[in-house]
Amino acid sequence: MHTIIEPFKIKSVEPVYFTTSQQRENILRKAFYNPFLIQAKDVMIDLLTDSGTSAMSSEQWGGIMRGDESYAGSESFFRFEAAVRNITGMPYIIPTHQGRAAEKIIFSITGGKGKYIVSNTLFDTTRANIEFSGAEGIDLLCAEGKLPSVPAPFKGNIDVDALEQFITTKGARHIPLVIITITNNSGGGQPVSMENIRAAKRVCNKYHIPLFIDACRFAENCYFIKTREPGYANKSILEIAQELFSCADGCTMSAKKDALANIGGFLAMHDEALAMQCRNMLIITEGFPTYGGLAGRDLEAIAIGLNEVMEEPYLKYRIRSIEYIGEKLDAAGVPYIKPTGGHAVYLDAKAFLPHTSPDQYPGQALCGALYTAGGIRGVEIGSVMFGKYGKDGNLIPAGMELVRLAIPRRVYTQSHIDYTTEVIIDVFKQRENITGYKIIYETPYLRHFTARFEPA
């Protein structure tokens, strides 16, 4: 088998600025040990997120030049609407400036005190928008998804039995919707099977609860279904996506992921009355229904990107690149969530730094070490992002302590990936020298974006 090459040619480049480890130590200290507070120019390999960091294609740039900037009834909107409708089959398409704006709208309308939004695993902004409404977000991840070192094909699945038990315990009237994240970002970028989505839909139908899909990485999830789930090997990614969305009553999407765009998102649904409520809020917060906080040029880029992302040579290269990192880490004994996910490698910081307790935030400590050692910026997904405080003021840690290294789409080459794995392995060899942090400043919501730390 030959090496899988990048299914694209590079047409434009931007420089990477090199720094020394001593310089990076100073930069990290001035940023209060929070990677979000480091200037991008001081990062050599930026794996903080795959959101909005994709390299756009020549077709997308061409579409940007064709963008119709009419305030109402833009031709660009209708091309965008047609692309989303072709994939989701949903008649009501509502553009937003990014995914969390879609979440803000839907949960402001459906959420509220005394209500529960149930998911396989909610990511940070989704949970924050649910909690801001007064509702409570509930994660019901399958059992295998909670075991980082144990491989399984669909570790992102929702626990369907737990879902039905939760509904019968709390009452369906208190659960306005169930939302399944594909792929499961907080759970290691792990996919959800078609069988699991169908089973969740049957439960939701039984209790008359709408099922939504968080579709940020729908194409990657569909590729895993094609390659791992019986009966799908000969179906196209579009056919799988259409079948998947046919199980849902609605969806949210950040187009900054699998639409290969730098900004944008949308809400889509079948319920006309709910769509009317969402559009009313859109006009107040985002803009007119045919632009929703986006320029026409961005709508064009999203419409084109939604089709490009379903090209199988791209997805094969994308998933294989992530697997390649996992194989290198396996050979060195580095702990990570197995198997690798669709968009990122998730280092198991709890196993990587067993000498660091949860209240010293091992994921944050590991992020600092990777940056100092090699200029690599990742993000903690653990007790900084998802930890809470008990009534006694003590930390209630997250279930897993992870560091996500999210690979931007069509941005980095093989040598960048090799360099990244070399740095991770070097840090692993020196792991006993890594110490934890303590928080010296935080906000009530999404504290990880702006929190400040100092060595514990």
Side-chain angles (χ1 to χ4, degrees):
M1 182 177 176
H2 295 295
T3 299
I4 295 175
I5 63 172
E6 288 86 350
F8 52 82
K9 295 184 289 184
I10 296 169
K11 206 165 183 176
S12 179
V13 299
E14 70 177 86
V16 171
Y17 296 102
F18 291 86
T19 50
T20 65
S21 59
Q22 183 61 56
Q23 287 172 324
R24 292 191 292 270
E25 284 180 18
N26 293 332
I27 291 165
L28 187 63
R29 185 180 67 255
K30 290 177 181 176
F32 294 96
Y33 303 94
N34 187 342
F36 281 101
L37 304 181
I38 297 172
Q39 292 185 32
K41 69 178 179 62
D42 294 324
V43 177
M44 290 168 57
I45 305 290
D46 201 345
L47 310 181
L48 183 75
T49 182
D50 63 320
S51 179
T53 56
S54 299
M56 290 199 296
S57 69
S58 54
E59 284 298 307
Q60 285 178 294
W61 283 110
I64 281 175
M65 295 303 293
R66 294 190 299 269
D68 177 0
E69 304 302 341
S70 301
Y71 185 91
S74 161
E75 284 299 307
S76 296
F77 167 76
F78 293 113
R79 284 188 281 270
F80 159 84
E81 181 185 52
V84 176
R85 189 170 288 157
N86 182 47
I87 295 167
T88 67
M90 297 177 190
Y92 304 108
I93 314 296
I94 301 168
T96 59
H97 80 273
Q98 60 179 28
R100 74 188 64 173
E103 294 167 353
K104 172 66 174 175
I105 291 170
I106 192 65
F107 296 127
S108 294
I109 292 168
T110 62
K113 191 173 181 180
K115 295 182 179 179
Y116 303 92
I117 307 295
V118 185
S119 180
N120 50 347
T121 315
L122 298 163
F123 199 56
D124 56 352
T125 61
T126 319
R127 183 178 299 280
N129 275 302
I130 290 167
E131 293 178 351
F132 190 76
S133 80
E136 184 177 348
I138 302 296
D139 294 336
L140 298 177
L141 181 63
C142 63
E144 57 270 30
K146 300 172 185 176
L147 303 172
S149 63
V150 180
F154 292 102
K155 292 174 73 171
N157 283 352
I158 192 169
D159 186 329
V160 176
D161 292 336
L163 171 63
E164 184 156 23
Q165 183 178 1
F166 186 85
I167 294 170
T168 57
T169 301
K170 297 296 184 181
R173 69 186 184 279
H174 298 301
I175 304 169
L177 63 84
V178 171
I179 185 164
I180 295 179
T181 307
I182 60 171
T183 54
N184 189 331
N185 193 1
S186 298
Q190 299 295 314
V192 179
S193 71
M194 190 76 78
E195 179 184 16
N196 185 250
I197 291 170
R198 289 193 175 282
K201 177 60 175 173
R202 287 193 293 271
V203 171
C204 288
N205 280 349
K206 180 178 178 181
Y207 296 98
H208 307 289
I209 298 171
L211 175 65
F212 270 57
I213 299 291
D214 178 341
C216 292
R217 300 172 180 87
F218 79 95
E220 293 172 6
N221 199 98
C222 290
Y223 185 80
F224 281 120
I225 290 173
K226 180 180 176 70
T227 55
R228 294 181 182 177
E229 193 163 359
Y232 290 93
N234 295 322
K235 291 193 174 185
S236 70
I237 299 300
L238 176 60
E239 289 171 329
I240 296 169
Q242 289 170 333
E243 181 179 338
L244 187 154
F245 285 109
S246 74
C247 299
D249 298 287
C251 69
T252 64
M253 184 173 182
S254 167
K256 297 166 70 175
K257 284 84 168 177
D258 265 1
L260 302 172
N262 300 135
I263 198 67
F266 60 83
L267 265 169
M269 62 194 71
H270 289 282
D271 187 328
E272 183 179 10
L274 179 59
M276 184 68 73
Q277 287 180 277
C278 291
R279 282 196 176 122
N280 289 339
M281 183 167 286
L282 179 89
I283 291 171
I284 295 170
T285 60
E286 293 283 297
F288 193 73
T290 57
Y291 76 88
L294 289 170
R297 62 184 74 100
D298 296 316
L299 293 168
E300 291 280 359
I302 293 167
I304 295 166
L306 283 169
N307 289 309
E308 290 183 349
V309 78
M310 293 188 291
E311 294 171 359
E312 289 187 29
Y314 158 77
L315 286 166
K316 182 178 181 181
Y317 145 79
R318 170 77 171 160
I319 303 304
R320 179 66 191 120
S321 296
I322 312 297
E323 288 176 345
Y324 175 82
I325 300 173
E327 290 168 0
K328 293 282 189 179
L329 298 184
D330 263 337
V334 177
Y336 67 95
I337 288 190
K338 300 178 182 180
T340 49
H343 69 289
V345 171
Y346 290 69
L347 302 179
D348 183 352
K350 188 181 290 187
F352 202 116
L353 303 176
H355 59 283
T356 305
S357 61
D359 62 355
Q360 293 183 337
Y361 306 108
Q364 198 74 17
L366 181 51
C367 282
L370 291 171
Y371 177 73
T372 301
I376 295 171
R377 177 159 66 170
V379 67
E380 189 264 12
I381 298 184
S383 292
V384 175
M385 186 177 286
F386 292 121
K388 296 186 179 296
Y389 295 113
K391 292 180 180 178
D392 58 1
N394 291 327
L395 177 72
I396 302 172
M400 293 188 283
E401 304 288 349
L402 307 173
V403 169
R404 184 189 70 181
L405 301 174
I407 312 299
R409 295 162 182 79
R410 305 189 297 202
V411 170
Y412 291 119
T413 65
Q414 181 70 48
S415 60
H416 292 113
I417 297 298
D418 283 329
Y419 172 82
T420 297
T421 58
E422 290 163 6
V423 171
I424 296 168
I425 292 167
D426 286 345
V427 169
F428 183 64
K429 291 175 181 177
Q430 304 294 323
R431 60 193 180 278
E432 281 126 11
N433 299 325
I434 299 172
T435 57
Y437 296 144
K438 63 180 180 180
I439 295 176
I440 60 173
Y441 167 79
E442 61 183 297
T443 55
Y445 295 99
L446 298 171
R447 67 180 182 180
H448 52 289
F449 287 135
T450 57
R452 297 181 177 187
F453 301 84
E454 65 181 16

XYZ file of all heavy atoms in Angstrom, residues 119-121 156-158 179-185 189-194 196-197 212-222 224-225 240-241 244-245 248 251-253 257-258 343 409:
355
model
N -27.794 14.462 26.200
C -26.861 14.278 25.080
C -25.981 13.062 25.318
O -25.947 12.502 26.424
C -25.988 15.525 24.930
O -25.062 15.400 23.870
N -25.259 12.654 24.256
C -24.177 11.692 24.461
C -23.073 12.373 25.277
O -22.689 11.900 26.327
C -23.668 11.108 23.145
C -23.339 12.143 22.090
O -23.690 13.327 22.182
N -22.656 11.704 21.035
N -22.586 13.515 24.807
C -21.721 14.393 25.601
C -21.813 15.791 25.020
O -21.614 15.984 23.821
C -20.239 13.942 25.579
O -20.156 12.527 25.765
C -19.446 14.619 26.685
N -18.540 7.094 20.771
C -19.293 8.329 20.948
C -20.777 8.112 21.179
O -21.519 9.072 21.391
N -21.229 6.866 21.157
C -22.662 6.567 21.249
C -23.286 7.079 22.540
O -22.637 7.133 23.587
C -22.893 5.057 21.189
C -22.764 4.498 19.784
O -22.644 5.241 18.813
N -22.790 3.179 19.664
N -24.571 7.403 22.461
C -25.353 7.689 23.653
C -25.804 6.358 24.263
O -26.029 5.371 23.546
C -26.571 8.583 23.321
C -27.220 9.122 24.603
C -27.587 7.860 22.448
C -28.256 10.223 24.358
N -30.038 15.899 22.178
C -29.109 16.296 21.113
C -27.898 15.371 21.122
O -27.264 15.163 22.161
C -28.704 17.783 21.245
C -27.836 18.207 20.054
C -28.035 18.080 22.579
C -27.717 19.721 19.897
N -27.612 14.779 19.977
C -26.469 13.873 19.838
C -25.377 14.573 19.045
O -25.613 15.059 17.938
C -26.886 12.552 19.158
C -27.864 11.788 20.068
C -25.673 11.693 18.842
C -28.351 10.477 19.488
N -24.191 14.619 19.621
C -23.055 15.289 18.998
C -22.285 14.306 18.127
O -21.857 13.249 18.608
C -22.104 15.854 20.078
O -22.854 16.661 20.980
C -21.003 16.670 19.455
N -22.129 14.643 16.830
C -21.360 13.779 15.919
C -20.252 14.611 15.258
O -20.530 15.685 14.745
C -22.272 13.136 14.855
C -22.985 14.187 13.996
C -23.280 12.212 15.479
C -23.721 13.645 12.795
N -19.019 14.122 15.355
C -18.527 13.128 16.285
C -18.546 13.695 17.695
O -18.697 14.899 17.884
C -17.088 12.717 15.927
O -16.269 13.918 15.848
C -16.995 12.044 14.580
N -18.337 12.825 18.690
C -18.428 13.229 20.087
C -17.136 13.936 20.500
O -16.148 13.301 20.837
C -18.679 11.991 20.949
C -19.011 12.330 22.380
O -18.571 13.345 22.905
N -19.786 11.470 23.010
N -17.167 15.257 20.474
C -15.962 16.064 20.678
C -15.382 15.886 22.084
O -14.205 15.582 22.253
C -16.290 17.538 20.405
C -15.065 18.415 20.291
O -13.935 17.953 20.387
N -15.273 19.693 20.080
N -13.530 12.818 20.138
C -13.753 12.849 18.700
C -14.247 11.517 18.168
O -14.075 11.192 16.997
N -14.915 10.750 19.037
C -15.352 9.397 18.682
C -16.686 9.429 17.946
O -17.570 10.238 18.242
C -15.462 8.544 19.941
C -14.157 8.383 20.689
C -13.112 7.628 19.896
O -13.402 6.578 19.296
N -11.894 8.154 19.853
N -16.871 8.524 16.990
C -18.086 8.536 16.174
C -19.279 7.890 16.869
O -19.153 7.152 17.847
C -17.679 7.733 14.940
C -16.634 6.790 15.450
C -15.879 7.555 16.503
N -20.451 8.180 16.308
C -21.721 7.613 16.740
C -22.248 6.752 15.597
O -22.232 7.183 14.440
C -22.727 8.738 17.075
C -24.069 8.161 17.498
C -22.165 9.650 18.167
N -22.703 5.566 15.901
C -23.163 4.662 14.849
C -24.567 5.027 14.380
O -25.350 5.646 15.112
C -23.157 3.212 15.353
O -24.187 3.012 16.314
N -24.884 4.613 13.166
C -26.236 4.809 12.645
C -27.242 4.028 13.496
O -28.345 4.519 13.795
C -26.317 4.360 11.187
C -27.610 4.742 10.496
S -27.667 6.492 10.065
C -26.612 6.485 8.589
N -27.082 3.406 16.632
C -27.303 4.118 17.890
C -28.227 5.304 17.690
O -29.120 5.566 18.517
C -25.957 4.564 18.457
C -26.067 5.200 19.822
O -25.871 6.409 19.969
N -26.371 4.407 20.838
N -28.042 6.024 16.592
C -28.917 7.162 16.305
C -30.349 6.694 16.082
O -31.306 7.311 16.581
C -28.384 7.950 15.088
C -27.077 8.655 15.465
C -29.418 8.961 14.593
C -26.329 9.253 14.303
N -32.316 16.174 18.089
C -31.474 17.055 17.287
C -30.082 16.435 17.134
O -29.672 15.614 17.953
C -31.356 18.433 17.943
C -32.418 19.419 17.530
C -33.762 19.119 17.694
C -32.082 20.644 16.968
C -34.744 20.023 17.319
C -33.063 21.553 16.587
C -34.398 21.247 16.765
N -29.391 16.855 16.099
C -28.006 16.452 15.859
C -27.118 17.693 15.940
O -27.423 18.705 15.302
C -27.831 15.791 14.470
C -28.694 14.525 14.349
C -26.364 15.492 14.189
C -28.253 13.365 15.204
N -26.054 17.622 16.727
C -24.996 18.620 16.649
C -24.071 18.140 15.546
O -23.293 17.198 15.726
C -24.265 18.727 17.988
C -23.116 19.734 17.960
O -22.649 20.083 16.852
O -22.661 20.159 19.029
N -24.159 18.774 14.384
C -23.600 18.227 13.139
C -22.239 18.790 12.759
O -21.843 18.702 11.598
C -24.595 18.484 12.001
N -21.508 19.355 13.722
C -20.233 20.022 13.397
C -19.315 19.167 12.532
O -18.678 19.664 11.613
C -19.493 20.385 14.682
S -20.285 21.662 15.649
N -19.248 17.875 12.836
C -18.305 16.988 12.137
C -19.058 15.803 11.527
O -18.647 14.654 11.654
C -17.211 16.547 13.111
C -16.424 17.739 13.669
C -15.453 17.348 14.778
N -14.740 18.529 15.270
C -15.200 19.329 16.244
N -16.354 19.068 16.831
N -14.500 20.391 16.633
N -20.148 16.119 10.855
C -21.022 15.083 10.313
C -20.316 14.228 9.270
O -20.534 13.004 9.193
C -22.287 15.719 9.715
C -22.090 16.317 8.342
C -22.380 15.595 7.203
C -21.571 17.602 8.184
C -22.189 16.133 5.945
C -21.381 18.150 6.936
C -21.681 17.420 5.800
N -19.482 14.841 8.427
C -18.837 14.088 7.345
C -17.831 13.090 7.908
O -17.745 11.946 7.434
C -18.157 15.047 6.364
N -17.057 13.513 8.910
C -16.123 12.594 9.544
C -16.873 11.434 10.185
O -16.463 10.270 10.080
C -15.268 13.345 10.570
C -14.323 14.351 9.923
C -13.590 15.241 10.931
O -13.727 15.005 12.145
O -12.888 16.172 10.490
N -17.994 11.725 10.853
C -18.794 10.671 11.469
C -19.324 9.709 10.406
O -19.310 8.485 10.586
C -19.950 11.276 12.257
C -20.525 10.315 13.270
O -20.194 10.367 14.458
N -21.400 9.418 12.834
N -19.787 10.257 9.297
C -20.311 9.411 8.220
C -19.227 8.533 7.610
O -19.494 7.386 7.200
C -20.978 10.270 7.147
S -22.527 11.030 7.683
N -16.710 7.263 9.287
C -16.541 6.160 10.235
C -17.670 5.148 10.082
O -17.443 3.933 10.172
C -16.514 6.693 11.672
C -15.202 7.301 12.082
C -15.128 8.628 12.474
C -14.040 6.549 12.094
C -13.931 9.197 12.861
C -12.828 7.108 12.483
C -12.770 8.433 12.865
N -18.896 5.606 9.853
C -19.999 4.676 9.613
C -19.721 3.848 8.369
O -19.909 2.622 8.354
C -21.333 5.453 9.482
C -21.752 6.021 10.844
C -22.441 4.557 8.917
C -22.953 6.949 10.793
N -25.084 8.395 3.205
C -25.054 8.097 4.644
C -25.524 9.303 5.442
O -26.304 9.174 6.389
C -23.637 7.665 5.071
C -23.240 6.354 4.375
C -23.549 7.502 6.589
C -21.775 5.985 4.523
N -25.057 10.489 5.051
C -25.465 11.710 5.743
C -26.975 11.919 5.634
O -27.647 12.267 6.617
C -24.727 12.910 5.172
N -28.671 9.560 7.944
C -28.460 9.971 9.337
C -29.393 11.118 9.717
O -30.093 11.065 10.739
C -26.992 10.360 9.526
C -26.486 10.670 10.929
C -24.982 10.397 11.021
C -26.749 12.107 11.346
N -29.437 12.146 8.891
C -30.269 13.307 9.208
C -31.763 12.999 9.104
O -32.577 13.703 9.717
C -29.897 14.494 8.318
C -28.610 15.167 8.715
C -27.475 15.048 7.925
C -28.526 15.907 9.885
C -26.288 15.668 8.285
C -27.344 16.523 10.258
C -26.220 16.404 9.461
N -33.452 12.666 12.406
C -33.467 13.812 13.310
C -34.610 14.767 13.005
O -35.072 14.880 11.872
C -32.136 14.558 13.232
N -31.197 20.119 13.611
C -29.758 20.068 13.858
C -29.209 21.473 14.055
O -29.797 22.457 13.615
C -29.017 19.357 12.725
S -28.976 20.255 11.164
N -28.090 21.530 14.751
C -27.271 22.732 14.805
C -25.944 22.400 14.150
O -25.525 21.238 14.130
C -27.014 23.191 16.256
O -26.239 22.179 16.936
C -28.310 23.425 17.001
N -25.277 23.413 13.607
C -23.952 23.162 13.048
C -23.089 24.401 13.121
O -23.551 25.497 12.816
C -24.017 22.688 11.600
C -22.628 22.339 11.054
S -22.625 21.583 9.433
C -20.851 21.307 9.217
N -16.259 23.862 11.145
C -15.637 22.542 11.177
C -15.804 21.870 9.807
O -15.082 22.179 8.876
C -16.228 21.684 12.297
C -15.730 22.051 13.692
C -16.487 23.182 14.305
C -16.207 23.376 15.778
N -16.932 24.558 16.327
N -16.821 21.017 9.683
C -16.934 20.226 8.458
C -17.573 20.947 7.280
O -17.916 20.304 6.287
C -17.688 18.924 8.747
C -16.753 17.763 9.049
O -15.530 17.986 9.056
O -17.240 16.634 9.280
N -11.027 14.206 14.235
C -10.441 15.537 14.038
C -9.287 15.834 14.969
O -8.689 16.902 14.866
C -11.516 16.617 14.233
C -11.990 16.759 15.647
N -12.775 15.819 16.273
C -11.780 17.737 16.572
C -13.036 16.215 17.508
N -12.453 17.361 17.712
N -8.022 21.537 9.170
C -8.217 20.844 7.902
C -7.403 21.495 6.785
O -7.454 22.699 6.598
C -9.710 20.849 7.543
C -10.554 20.047 8.520
C -12.028 20.384 8.444
N -12.802 19.633 9.433
C -12.877 19.941 10.738
N -12.254 21.023 11.195
N -13.576 19.201 11.569
